[in-house]
Amino acid sequence: MRSRSIELVAMLLCWCACANAQATPDMSGMWLVQDPGSGNWADWFNNVPKPALRPELIKDNDAIAAREAAGAVVNRAERLASCPFGNLPMMMASSPPLNIVQSRDEILIGAEANRGRFIYLDGRGHPDTRSPDYVPTGFGHSIGRWEADTLVVDTVGFPARVCDSRRPVMLTPGGGRAKETTHLIERFRLIEGGEMLSVTFTWEDPTVLLAPHTYSYKYKRLAGALPIENNDDPSDPAYQQRQLQSVIPPPQK
Amino acid sequence: MRRFFDEIFVWAKFPSLVKEGWPRHKENGPLPLKAWPGWFVQQPIIGGLNQPPRLGPLRRLRGIFLMGAATPPWLRRGVLFAALWLSSSLAFGQSPGTSHPDLSGYWELRYDSFNVQAASLTPQAAADQANQRRRDTDAVRWCINVGVPALMGDRSALDLRQSPTVIGMVAKAPSSVRYIYTDGRPHPDKDDLDPTTNGHSIGHWEGDTIVVDTIGFNDRGVRSIPGGGLRTPNSHLTERYRLLEGGQRLSVTFTWEDAGVFQKPHTYEFRYYRVRQISEPRVFTCNPNDAERAKFLLDER
């Protein structure tokens, strides 16, 4: 009699455990990154614990800063069809809200209405990112898995170079780089009753960093928000002119 | 309610019934019944010796789970745990958090969807067809987001992702992500609605079909509608999505209404084929400054 009861309780616990294991948190919705008030993009982007950069990277960053101080603040690189699309570190830090659609096998993260990242949860591995068949994008190739209520995302396959005359490689917060040798681990978790999303980033790349670089962002849920569509019109001469205009106003004389 | 629990826990009250069943049956010779396998338990106890079992549904279920007394306990427990695992998997294996069909997947249009019946156009819309084709080519040439309906007719596979509250769709052609809200929200007020190439879409389930209502289009992108006519800021689109053939096909029926374009609602169906996983980036990197491409497109028209 007693053993039967124990068996019954064990079965119920098993059922509940199965149910919980499959009922992962739903992160779908629009999420706005919470900037504590950095004042400008560069300060916000670098408002993270300082990474342990390799000495050559520090020199390279100093050279970029010197070029920008000398006026090289406009991207004059030709926009070729071969230019890698997207920029993961910038998208995850930018003000257009993340727009997440979470299905069982794949998570789509757009920036407002713009297309963005795909995180595969269907058990596939990374492709051979050194193969000529692999087309790198600025979002890399991401696969994810659930660890209890946390989504752990593993990303590799960033492009070696990007089409930017100011800095031809993708910058990560704090002055690091995302490139073909870089490995990113993100941990997504809903907090504060599902009203906030916490994402912890850990960048690893022995050619860039002396130690893994970790920082976190918080995103606030925007209930009922409408994504805004990018209405850029490249046929508009005013748009073309804006592409060659610095976002830093010239000094007043 | 008490009877229900008595039924469930009868084995706990009278475990000796289960224990004694199989040996007593063996003593009285083999059963003449073909229909009930030996492990179907308590036949000698409940139905009487050599009688067909007359078991209620719950007792039959219990019988299957507990099996005979001769069945090793590890096998009985194994079957029980497997059944529970399976039941919980099925219960939670639907579209996450819902009991609706999960339309998520990669969906490809093939030639069998491209012969759309001609729409009944207003004279004004019929006269504007050639101009509209030119405007569409310009949109492609300048890499403008194509929008609906071109997004739904993309020749590369659509990536459709369904959550309990929203469906997202990504096409390879230059386009915004299309979102269909299924959380019960209405369309925004006209004053709050910023028109887009995809419009504002809300959906609700009618059985196994999701019915999607879209308004709020703008006049940008590739606006030609299969069968004739064009999408305008006054267009109203109703779509019905349904899985067919065991989930291997997705039927989408489109109905366009726009008094300035159509004399009567224009309806057609696309059938998408489910394709296996795609790893390549679903993006066509469009370069509006590519002179060769521009020349090719403009010469074509």
Side-chain angles (χ1 to χ4, degrees):
Chain A
M1 174 79 176
R2 193 178 164 210
S3 67
R4 293 274 183 208
S5 304
I6 292 169
E7 202 169 286
L8 185 67
V9 169
M11 288 184 302
L12 286 172
L13 286 174
C14 167
W15 195 86
C16 292
C18 303
N20 270 334
Q22 307 216 13
T24 50
D26 184 12
M27 297 174 180
S28 299
M30 288 184 75
W31 300 93
L32 180 64
V33 70
Q34 299 298 285
D35 175 356
S38 306
N40 65 58
W41 166 254
D43 286 353
W44 156 243
F45 196 61
N46 293 316
N47 186 16
V48 293
K50 201 170 178 178
L53 297 175
R54 294 186 67 87
E56 57 268 32
L57 252 290
I58 295 172
K59 275 187 190 169
D60 197 31
N61 283 342
D62 289 345
I64 289 172
R67 284 201 299 273
E68 288 187 356
V73 291
V74 173
N75 180 11
R76 296 184 184 279
E78 194 179 355
R79 310 300 297 166
L80 302 172
S82 58
C83 289
F85 173 81
N87 184 317
L88 185 151
M90 188 177 279
M91 171 186 163
M92 298 302 285
S94 296
S95 55
L98 301 182
N99 209 342
I100 300 179
V101 180
Q102 178 182 325
S103 72
R104 194 182 312 123
D105 294 338
E106 185 179 313
I107 294 177
L108 164 66
I109 307 182
E112 294 244 36
N114 295 332
R115 64 180 66 224
R117 307 175 55 185
F118 304 95
I119 300 169
Y120 304 110
L121 308 174
D122 55 3
R124 73 178 75 178
H126 289 302
D128 178 4
T129 56
R130 288 169 297 183
S131 157
D133 294 336
Y134 176 72
V135 182
T137 74
F139 298 124
H141 186 273
S142 298
I143 53 177
R145 66 180 193 279
W146 289 95
E147 289 182 0
D149 61 349
T150 302
L151 174 70
V152 182
V153 179
D154 189 288
T155 304
V156 296
F158 294 103
R161 301 183 77 75
V162 295
C163 299
D164 192 324
S165 61
R166 300 159 297 180
R167 35 183 119 85
V169 285
M170 221 157 62
L171 262 63
T172 61
R177 304 283 187 274
K179 54 196 184 82
E180 77 280 17
T181 47
T182 305
H183 177 210
L184 169 65
I185 300 165
E186 293 158 288
R187 299 179 69 86
F188 290 70
R189 195 162 65 89
L190 291 177
I191 55 175
E192 299 181 24
E195 291 308 303
M196 300 287 279
L197 174 66
S198 162
V199 184
T200 301
F201 303 80
T202 301
W203 295 91
E204 296 172 336
D205 189 340
T207 68
V208 174
L209 301 161
L210 296 170
H213 179 219
T214 299
Y215 58 91
S216 297
Y217 288 156
K218 280 185 179 177
Y219 302 84
K220 183 179 171 58
R221 185 188 286 278
L222 302 177
L226 287 173
I228 297 169
E229 186 173 44
N230 182 350
N231 274 330
D232 286 347
D233 183 355
S235 68
D236 180 0
Y239 169 84
Q240 294 171 1
Q241 185 58 36
R242 277 202 303 279
Q243 297 304 297
L244 300 174
Q245 188 177 335
S246 168
V247 293
I248 303 170
Q252 292 186 1
K253 293 177 182 172
Chain B
M1 184 57 82
R2 186 176 170 183
R3 191 176 164 193
F4 173 78
F5 283 110
D6 283 351
E7 189 77 28
I8 288 185
F9 292 114
V10 67
W11 55 270
K13 284 182 178 173
F14 306 107
S16 60
L17 294 182
V18 177
K19 283 181 186 166
E20 291 169 10
W22 184 245
R24 279 188 60 190
H25 162 68
K26 277 168 68 178
E27 284 167 19
N28 290 280
L31 288 172
L33 305 169
K34 291 179 182 172
W36 306 103
W39 52 263
F40 196 71
V41 222
Q42 296 89 348
Q43 187 262 350
I45 309 161
I46 297 167
L49 295 179
N50 294 335
Q51 296 296 313
R54 289 191 290 272
L55 304 177
L58 275 173
R59 288 192 181 189
R60 286 184 190 185
L61 190 66
R62 191 195 72 209
I64 291 168
F65 274 0
L66 296 180
M67 299 189 269
T71 310
W74 62 267
L75 182 57
R76 290 207 308 253
R77 292 191 181 105
V79 170
L80 265 168
F81 280 98
L84 287 164
W85 182 270
L86 186 66
S87 70
S88 64
S89 296
L90 289 174
F92 294 89
Q94 303 282 335
S95 164
T98 74
S99 58
H100 302 302
D102 188 358
L103 310 182
S104 298
Y106 306 109
W107 297 102
E108 184 178 77
L109 270 187
R110 295 185 186 163
Y111 70 97
D112 54 354
S113 287
F114 298 144
N115 191 7
V116 172
Q117 193 177 341
S120 177
L121 299 177
T122 61
Q124 190 184 354
D128 193 42
Q129 289 281 84
N131 285 335
Q132 184 51 41
R133 276 194 288 276
R134 272 195 289 277
R135 289 193 290 264
D136 285 351
T137 307
D138 277 342
V140 172
R141 181 252 179 275
W142 288 105
C143 306
I144 307 290
N145 287 332
V146 296
V148 172
L151 179 145
M152 300 301 297
D154 198 14
R155 299 304 192 259
S156 294
L158 277 180
D159 186 0
L160 191 153
R161 294 294 140 196
Q162 178 177 331
S163 88
T165 53
V166 62
I167 293 173
M169 284 188 214
V170 182
K172 191 168 182 179
S175 52
S176 301
V177 180
R178 183 179 184 202
Y179 297 101
I180 298 169
Y181 299 102
T182 55
D183 55 0
R185 72 177 72 181
H187 289 302
D189 290 339
K190 207 172 178 181
D191 293 341
D192 297 332
L193 186 58
D194 190 16
T196 60
T197 55
N198 290 335
H200 185 268
S201 299
I202 52 176
H204 68 275
W205 288 92
E206 291 180 1
D208 60 353
T209 301
I210 184 165
V211 182
V212 178
D213 190 283
T214 305
I215 58 167
F217 295 106
N218 64 15
D219 58 2
R220 292 165 54 85
V222 176
R223 298 158 60 202
S224 289
I225 293 172
L230 75 161
R231 172 246 296 166
T232 77
N234 297 320
S235 296
H236 175 210
L237 171 63
T238 307
E239 294 156 286
R240 301 178 69 87
Y241 293 71
R242 193 160 62 93
L243 290 176
L244 303 174
E245 299 181 30
Q248 294 307 301
R249 303 280 182 276
L250 174 64
S251 162
V252 184
T253 304
F254 302 81
T255 301
W256 289 90
E257 293 170 285
D258 188 337
V261 176
F262 302 108
Q263 292 186 341
K264 60 178 184 180
H266 173 47
T267 298
Y268 57 94
E269 182 193 17
F270 278 175
R271 285 206 177 191
Y272 298 85
Y273 290 68
R274 187 186 286 278
V275 293
R276 297 177 69 186
Q277 62 174 227
I278 296 173
S279 270
E280 71 196 41
R282 256 137 293 140
V283 58
F284 171 71
T285 311
C286 189
N287 178 13
N289 300 320
D290 183 341
E292 199 172 326
R293 173 176 171 273
K295 183 173 181 307
F296 172 78
L297 287 169
L298 299 178
D299 285 352
E300 278 290 297
R301 79 181 183 187

